[in-house]
Amino acid sequence: MPDRDALKRMVSDTIDLNRAEIIAFAKDIMDHPETGFKEHRTSEMAARKLDDMSVPYRKQLAITGLKGKLEGRAGPGPSVAILGELDSLLVFEHPCADPETGAAHACGHNAQMGMMLGATMGIRASGVLDHLCGSVVPFAVPAEEFVELEDRMALRSEGKLEFLGGKQELIRLGEFDDVDIAMMCHTASDMGERMFSFGGTSNGHIVKYIQYIGRGAHAGAAPHMGINALNAANLGMAAIHANRETFRERETVRIHGIINKGGEAVNAVPSDVRLEWRVRSSNAEDLVKNNAAVDRCFKAGALAVGAQVKITNIPGYMPLRHDPVLQDVLLDNATALLGRDHILTIPGHRSRGGSTDMGDLSQIMPVCHPYTGGATGPGHSKDYMIADYERAVINPAKIMAMAVVDLLAEDGHKAKEVIQRSVPTMTKDEYVSFQRERAQEELYDGGI
Ligand SMILES: [Zn+2]
Ligand SMILES: [Zn+2]
């Protein structure tokens, strides 16, 4: 029987052999971006690739999710998922944006789809499954980017979703119940000459939808008959800015939003103004405190002009916890492939400021979410591009496939060690209850 190093060479050589197809797939996804819960084509293209490899799968999980299964032939054992996020962002000015929808891969998730395919090919086509126990689950997951809130709230009203983030909803649906360990790699553009980075964390967040309700009237002839909802919103936003000095740097507080609707017509007093807002902090306590401050501010705007404000809080993401044992497995393989000098390690408490639903999954099972180089330009901007597909797709595909060998070879003792030593903060049921409790709606009447 080949040893683990020989098995790793087999997966790595297979990925090299299929390099052109793997990169072409990632580029095709780049050219056909779709936002969360709308990734029908992306999911279908991934399903065709699994068909080509005769990998069984289930599809349309949380609308667009696709979950494959590779059975090891060396006996039962743990299940290891390799995740790839299906969704794009909305960046109309991105050169690869869909001209109709504005969808654009400005966060590199197309590279994730490529690396998930590459790792799956490496494991499936190399023959290593003869020597692995348990199972490997290539899992294409929808809607990591928390955008298009109104569309998702409509899906929720129709009963098609409960939680509005992809992994959140998949957890609720029980699609991670048969997964023991999960990993994925995200592209980054900020690591200079380094090719891979481990560690750090992400912010937790609360997602907010705000509706100011005023009273319409002729803006020229009878503004005294109206209640200006846009003025209320402006005051609410100004009040949030007035609180900024109270936010501590160590909490990596980010409070930001957009106006979805600023009124109906310029010649009428705006009576319906809608905002999508986000409150992020590095820990739950400060998140709750800062969210309460933001609610106070939005109410202050309503109070000032006598409007009403409806505040809808939607369960957001939780901070990311990398499992240390799993991280070491990935780190060892990244080091073997790239050399220690090319790898960055970041202290576990340092938050990147953004948020991910991998954080949610990390509360209930061991996960790791390192970053790989290969991207250029600021994330979520028109300039974010995958410049080096070797770094962005091929390297992480090899590192994850080799990590799977370490986890599931030799009776899966390493995967069992990861599971045994992991310390989840909550069970799946506790997670679902916790998130349900965060869903709140409040109508405040500033006209009283
Ligand atoms: Zn992103
Ligand atoms: Zn992303």
Side-chain angles (χ1 to χ4, degrees):
M1 173 185 157
D3 63 12
R4 275 190 290 147
D5 285 340
L7 295 173
K8 289 187 197 179
R9 275 195 300 278
M10 287 161 70
V11 297
S12 192
D13 290 349
T14 303
I15 291 168
D16 279 333
L17 273 175
N18 291 283
R19 171 186 273 108
E21 182 182 346
I22 296 163
I23 291 175
F25 178 69
K27 287 183 172 174
D28 177 75
I29 304 298
M30 181 78 180
D31 291 338
H32 298 87
E34 297 170 305
T35 53
F37 299 120
K38 300 175 185 173
E39 316 95 324
H40 299 287
R41 180 190 181 276
T42 312
S43 187
E44 178 59 31
M45 297 306 285
R48 282 190 211 167
K49 292 293 183 191
L50 295 184
D51 283 333
D52 291 347
M53 292 185 275
S54 303
V55 175
Y57 57 81
R58 293 170 52 242
K59 61 180 184 178
Q60 295 172 352
L61 310 174
I63 303 180
T64 50
L66 176 77
K67 183 181 177 186
K69 190 160 194 176
L70 304 167
E71 298 276 7
R73 286 185 277 275
S79 171
V80 180
I82 298 172
L83 308 187
E85 293 165 346
L86 289 154
D87 63 322
S88 76
L89 280 158
L90 274 180
V91 184
F92 278 81
E93 54 187 352
H94 193 282
C96 300
D98 182 310
E100 279 179 26
T101 64
H105 276 292
C107 201
H109 297 186
N110 65 306
Q112 291 181 31
M113 294 303 295
M115 63 182 89
M116 188 194 76
L117 169 71
T120 306
M121 281 178 147
I123 293 161
R124 176 74 180 88
S126 61
V128 298
L129 283 167
D130 287 343
H131 309 285
L132 302 183
C133 74
S135 57
V136 184
V137 175
F139 203 164
V141 296
E144 187 273 340
E145 304 287 358
F146 222 127
V147 297
E148 299 181 311
L149 205 46
E150 288 167 347
D151 291 355
R152 296 187 193 182
M153 289 167 74
L155 288 169
R156 188 171 66 177
S157 305
E158 293 162 23
K160 293 177 179 161
L161 292 174
E162 178 179 342
F163 296 141
L164 306 189
K167 297 180 199 72
Q168 294 182 317
E169 181 69 353
L170 289 166
I171 293 170
R172 181 187 75 81
L173 292 169
E175 292 298 341
F176 283 101
D177 289 358
D178 59 356
V179 171
D180 299 302
I181 294 170
M183 62 174 80
M184 59 174 282
C185 297
H186 199 293
T187 53
S189 58
D190 57 358
M191 61 175 83
E193 279 309 298
R194 310 291 183 102
M195 293 192 214
F196 227 78
S197 112
F198 288 92
T201 181
S202 62
N203 268 338
H205 72 28
I206 292 174
V207 176
K208 303 177 78 68
Y209 188 71
I210 312 298
Q211 183 180 12
Y212 279 102
I213 303 153
R215 186 166 63 226
H218 194 296
H224 59 284
M225 306 285 285
I227 296 173
N228 193 316
L230 184 59
N231 286 347
N234 270 317
L235 288 165
M237 289 188 284
I240 292 168
H241 294 313
N243 274 277
R244 291 206 185 273
E245 67 192 29
T246 69
F247 303 141
R248 288 179 294 187
E249 287 81 2
R250 69 176 192 215
E251 296 160 12
T252 51
V253 182
R254 306 280 190 272
I255 296 179
H256 53 95
I258 57 172
I259 299 178
N260 290 17
K261 181 181 179 187
E264 296 77 30
V266 69
N267 53 7
V269 172
S271 65
D272 180 1
V273 169
R274 300 176 188 214
L275 305 93
E276 209 169 302
W277 222 258
R278 197 65 42 94
V279 178
R280 309 188 202 236
S281 303
S282 60
N283 65 73
E285 195 183 326
D286 289 304
L287 193 56
V288 169
K289 183 189 77 183
N290 294 332
N291 186 55
V294 167
D295 282 356
R296 219 168 51 221
C297 294
F298 282 131
K299 289 175 189 172
L303 182 63
V305 303
Q308 291 183 319
V309 62
K310 189 163 129 188
I311 300 172
T312 306
N313 286 329
I314 293 160
Y317 297 160
M318 302 176 74
L320 185 58
R321 306 164 69 240
H322 300 282
D323 182 86
V325 185
L326 179 61
Q327 179 167 293
D328 279 348
V329 173
L330 283 151
L331 178 60
D332 286 349
N333 284 291
T335 304
L337 183 72
L338 306 172
R340 190 68 188 87
D341 290 347
H342 290 293
I343 294 166
L344 192 62
T345 47
I346 296 166
H349 64 271
R350 193 176 299 165
S351 170
R352 293 176 67 93
S355 309
T356 171
D357 52 0
M358 198 61 168
D360 295 47
L361 197 59
S362 76
Q363 307 297 324
I364 64 169
M365 70 171 62
V367 313
C368 193
H369 178 286
Y371 285 82
T372 186
T376 54
H380 291 199
S381 82
K382 70 177 172 54
D383 297 319
Y384 193 87
M385 298 295 288
I386 303 300
D388 182 341
Y389 276 83
E390 187 74 22
R391 288 190 185 192
V393 174
I394 302 298
N395 288 348
K398 288 181 179 174
I399 290 164
M400 289 195 287
M402 293 192 296
V404 165
V405 169
D406 276 331
L407 291 165
L408 296 180
E410 297 162 5
D411 206 27
H413 73 88
K414 196 70 192 177
K416 289 172 188 167
E417 183 194 339
V418 170
I419 296 162
Q420 198 216 331
R421 289 175 60 185
S422 81
V423 190
T425 64
M426 51 181 76
T427 66
K428 174 230 175 167
D429 289 343
E430 286 167 347
Y431 167 79
V432 171
S433 305
F434 174 81
Q435 290 291 48
R436 281 187 178 143
E437 282 165 20
R438 295 170 78 192
Q440 293 160 343
E441 206 173 278
E442 180 181 2
L443 181 68
Y444 174 78
D445 191 344
I448 47 169

